[in-house]
């Protein structure tokens, strides 16, 4: 267990590949893969080590060095391995390793493949630091590292203006959320005197409601940025401009899961701040519907999957906002989502690989016979995400729906209804993706595709097959017998809080959920099984137009934040120029004018100075005589 720090071995790979330059081009991709595979091996060994310990003794701390010994602020650079962080470490390194291997084939002809793998290594290392840090400052370093790596990878093909713009957009939007985390850390130190998890959580019951609510809302703001939740969701669709393996890594194993981790890790704070907890569930419920609606109108296969991620993370945030009853199910859905969403994105990449990088599903069709392995693996991911039993999504998503309804009262009805409606919409747009891509008539020709469409090489299909296996079996492994719930209980529910119970049998809610899913599948089949329009129809509903424009997320940000911010900046510049600088300039001008007047009295003639002295003496004598007479 003393070698936990080796989990961040991908950082060494990134350093070697970036500093080694072109000399590492021939073998850089192999080193990039090896470091992540090695990190996965260490994570598995660490997991096995935790299994061999008693449940109450499964938290391992490792202090590497004294980091910030400044006055009262003393922060050690330490790592914490426990039941929660090891789940993330296994997901990040396991799925990350498969994405790295897939990238060998996907980026085979890119002249900058070595640099790409360096950035992938940096991404994985930053995410590992984020989840393994034992304090909020260490988490913040990993948080910013993830943001930097995403900027580099989304804009990897920066020669494309759209990619450069998307990278800047992701970076700027995430900076807004990062301010929330930075201020939260400052508030923690100011009120608690510590920024370690142990110190903050131990002191939380002594803090006032206002302070706890403020910390909770600031952490939620940070989570909204990284996990693309309303109102900071606008960057996620544009991030598809990066290479497809980047999309898989962002959506399945790294960046967007960071916000869920932050909320669950900070559970002791949110449990004592009901107002902040309510804000979390509202954000999750709104976002899961927001993303699902957007996904219904996207013709770009990657952007449809991106909207799906926004919605699925919304499910996780909703569950995390339900407190101890929802933390474990949020993590369960996060883990199962890591398998099927990575598989879906890699499948989309395989389709693009066969279709000369085409992403418009209106130009696909009939690919199931051309790409049989991609069709099978993508299809299993599709069945998993819509929640068909016994695939992974059935266990995790249904658990969230049950937990939402179990909240009871009007609150439970609203949250459960939103989650149930989201399941139906998910079934609709994902069925639409399947039908438009793999079924129906071919809407392409070999000349238009740029090459004869063919299955991807084994280095790409093998990771897809492994992820498909996880999409099938991960849910049962984690859910049956409450395996994951019992594993996480000492961390996310140490007090053994009483969980609410459904007012109806679970089998009845499951039947209702599957019925809603079936309706979604049926509607999509009716609309898209026969024909797919090659161009978007002119006469469409207002909701469809809004969904195609991401429900006007960019327009709202522009109207509410950007333009008022620009006007405020202009006003401040005017105030600075005319007010602050103007006052200083006016004073300087007055002094200059006075000096110019005084200079005129300096004639250089002695008789003038004598006359001035005589006049002054006469004036003083006159004043004295006047005072005496008075």
């Amino acid at each position: 267990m003393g070698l936990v720090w080796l989990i961040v071995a991908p950082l060494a790979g990134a350093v070697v590949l970036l500093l080694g330059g072109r000399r590492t081009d021939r073998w850089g991709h192999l080193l990039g893969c090896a470091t992540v595979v090695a990190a996965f091996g260490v994570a598995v060994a660490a997991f096995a080590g935790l299994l061999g310990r008693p449940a109450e003794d499964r938290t391992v701390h490792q202090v590497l060095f004294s980091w910030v010994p400044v006055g009262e602020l003393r922060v050690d650079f330490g790592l914490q391995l426990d039941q929660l962080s090891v789940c993330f470490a296994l997901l990040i390194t396991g799925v990350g390793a498969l994405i790295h291997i897939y990238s060998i084939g996907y980026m085979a002809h890119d002249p900058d493949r070595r640099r790409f793998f360096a950035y992938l290594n940096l991404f994985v290392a930053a995410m590992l630091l984020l989840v393994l840090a034992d304090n909020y400052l260490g988490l913040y370093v990993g948080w910013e590292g993830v943001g930097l790596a995403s900027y580099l990878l989304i804009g990897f093909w920066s020669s494309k203006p759209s990619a450069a713009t998307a990278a800047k957009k992701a970076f700027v939007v995430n900076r807004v959320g990062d301010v929330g985390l930075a201020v939260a850390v400052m508030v923690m130190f100011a009120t608690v005197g510590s920024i370690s998890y142990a110190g903050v959580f131990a002191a939380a019951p002594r803090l006032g409601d206002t302070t706890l609510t403020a910390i909770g809302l600031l952490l939620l703001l940070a989570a909204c940025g990284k996990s693309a939740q309303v109102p900071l969701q606008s960057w996620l669709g544009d991030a598809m401009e990066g290479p497809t393996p980047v999309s898989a890594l962002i959506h399945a194993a790294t960046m967007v899961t960071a916000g869920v981790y932050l909320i669950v890790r900070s559970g002791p704070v949110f449990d004592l701040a009901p107002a902040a907890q309510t804000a979390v569930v509202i954000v999750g419920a709104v976002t899961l519907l927001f993303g699902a609606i957007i996904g219904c109108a996207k013709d770009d296969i990657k952007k449809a999957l991106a909207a799906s991620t926004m919605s699925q993370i919304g499910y996780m945030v909703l569950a995390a906002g339900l407190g101890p009853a929802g933390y474990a199910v949020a993590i369960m859905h996060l883990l199962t989502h890591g398998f099927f969403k990575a598989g879906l994105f890699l499948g989309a990449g395989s389709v693009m690989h066969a279709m000369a990088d085409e992403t418009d599903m209106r130009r696909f069709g009939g690919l199931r016979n051309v790409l049989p392995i991609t069709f099978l693996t993508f299809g299993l991911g599709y069945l998993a995400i819509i929640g068909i039993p016994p695939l992974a999504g059935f266990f995790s998503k249904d658990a969230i729906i049950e937990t939402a309804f179990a909240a009871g009262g009007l609150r439970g009805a609203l949250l459960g209804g939103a989650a149930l409606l989201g399941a139906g919409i998910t079934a609709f747009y994902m069925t639409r993706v399947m039908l438009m891509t793999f079924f129906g008539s071919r809407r392409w020709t070999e000349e238009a595709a740029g090459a004869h469409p063919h299955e991807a090489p084994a280095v790409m299909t093998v990771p897809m097959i492994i992820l498909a296996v996880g999409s099938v079996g991960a849910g049962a492994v984690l859910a049956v017998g409450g395996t994951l719930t019992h594993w996480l209980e000492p961390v996310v529910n140490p007090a053994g809080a009483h969980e609410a119970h459904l007012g109806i049998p679970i089998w009845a809610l499951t039947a209702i959920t599957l019925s809603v899913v079936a309706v979604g599948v049926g509607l999509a089949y009716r609309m898209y099984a026969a024909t797919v329009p090659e161009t978007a129809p002119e006469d469409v509903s207002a909701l469809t137009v809004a969904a195609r424009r991401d429900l006007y997320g960019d327009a709202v940000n522009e109207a509410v934040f950007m333009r008022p911010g620009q006007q405020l900046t202009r006003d401040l510049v005017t105030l600075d120029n005319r007010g602050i600088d103007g006052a200083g300039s006016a004073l300087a001008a007055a002094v200059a004018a006075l000096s110019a007047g005084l200079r005129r009295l300096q004639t250089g003639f002695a008789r003038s100075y004598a006359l001035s002295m005589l006049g002054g003496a006469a004036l003083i004598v006159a004043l004295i005589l006047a005072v005496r007479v008075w």
Side-chain angles (χ1 to χ4, degrees), residues 207-520:
L207 299 178
D209 292 341
T210 302
T211 301
L212 288 169
T213 301
I215 294 174
L217 292 177
L218 289 168
L219 294 177
L220 174 60
L221 177 62
C224 286
K226 278 292 180 288
S227 293
Q229 300 292 284
V230 173
L232 300 179
Q233 81 292 342
S234 62
W235 66 271
L236 192 61
D238 297 77
M240 298 303 98
E241 290 291 338
T244 301
V246 175
S247 303
L249 197 58
I250 288 176
H251 289 248
T254 56
M255 190 164 177
V256 296
T257 64
V260 181
Y261 172 80
L262 179 64
I263 295 172
V264 174
R265 175 61 77 185
S266 304
V269 173
F270 283 99
D271 292 342
L272 297 172
Q277 211 168 47
T278 299
V280 172
V281 296
I282 291 174
V283 166
V286 170
T287 306
L288 76 87
L289 294 176
F290 198 96
I293 293 170
I294 292 174
C296 293
K298 292 298 182 183
D299 295 318
D300 185 307
I301 187 171
K302 288 178 65 177
K303 291 191 175 182
L305 294 178
S308 168
T309 297
M310 187 191 308
S311 178
Q312 298 305 306
I313 298 295
Y315 272 101
M316 302 172 205
V317 172
L318 167 62
L322 295 173
Y327 292 144
V329 294
I331 299 302
M332 184 193 303
H333 194 50
L334 186 149
L335 296 175
T336 59
H337 178 265
F339 284 102
F340 57 71
K341 184 51 63 67
L344 289 170
F345 265 110
L346 297 190
S350 180
V351 171
M352 293 170 59
H353 179 267
M355 301 296 289
D357 289 333
E358 178 62 67
T359 61
D360 192 335
M361 295 184 292
R362 294 171 296 180
R363 300 192 177 106
F364 293 161
L367 290 176
R368 68 185 185 280
N369 297 322
V370 181
L371 309 174
I373 298 177
T374 300
F375 168 64
L376 177 61
T377 56
F378 194 98
L380 290 173
Y382 153 72
L383 294 174
I385 194 173
I386 68 174
I388 299 299
L391 279 76
F394 166 74
F395 293 96
S396 57
K397 187 185 294 183
D398 276 32
I400 293 177
I401 296 173
E402 294 164 8
T403 305
F405 275 113
L410 180 61
R411 180 171 181 258
L414 291 175
L415 296 178
L420 189 61
L421 177 59
I425 301 175
T426 300
F428 174 85
Y429 70 73
M430 286 305 304
T431 302
R432 174 178 179 267
V433 170
M434 280 295 296
L435 292 174
M436 291 179 70
T437 302
F438 296 102
F439 292 88
S441 60
R442 296 183 177 185
R443 298 181 297 280
W444 49 272
T445 62
E446 293 183 6
E447 293 76 13
H452 178 64
H454 59 283
E455 189 61 86
V459 73
M460 295 172 63
T461 56
V462 170
M464 292 160 54
I465 293 171
I466 296 173
L467 290 169
V469 172
S471 300
V472 173
V477 171
L478 296 173
V480 173
T483 303
L484 183 65
T485 301
H486 294 316
W487 172 257
L488 292 174
E489 188 173 21
V491 178
V492 302
N493 189 13
H498 176 69
E499 297 183 6
H501 296 283
L502 282 170
I504 61 173
I506 292 180
W507 65 263
L509 183 57
T510 299
I512 294 172
T513 302
L514 291 176
S515 299
V516 172
V517 168
V519 170

Side-chain angles (χ1 to χ4, degrees), residues 68 70-75 136-137 181-196 199-200 207 211 215:
V68 186
V70 180
E72 296 182 0
L73 178 61
R74 301 189 64 85
V75 181
Y136 281 99
L137 187 57
L181 181 56
V183 176
V185 173
M186 297 175 192
V187 173
M188 291 174 190
F189 176 68
T191 56
V192 177
S194 173
I195 54 175
S196 68
V200 172
L207 299 178
T211 301
I215 294 174

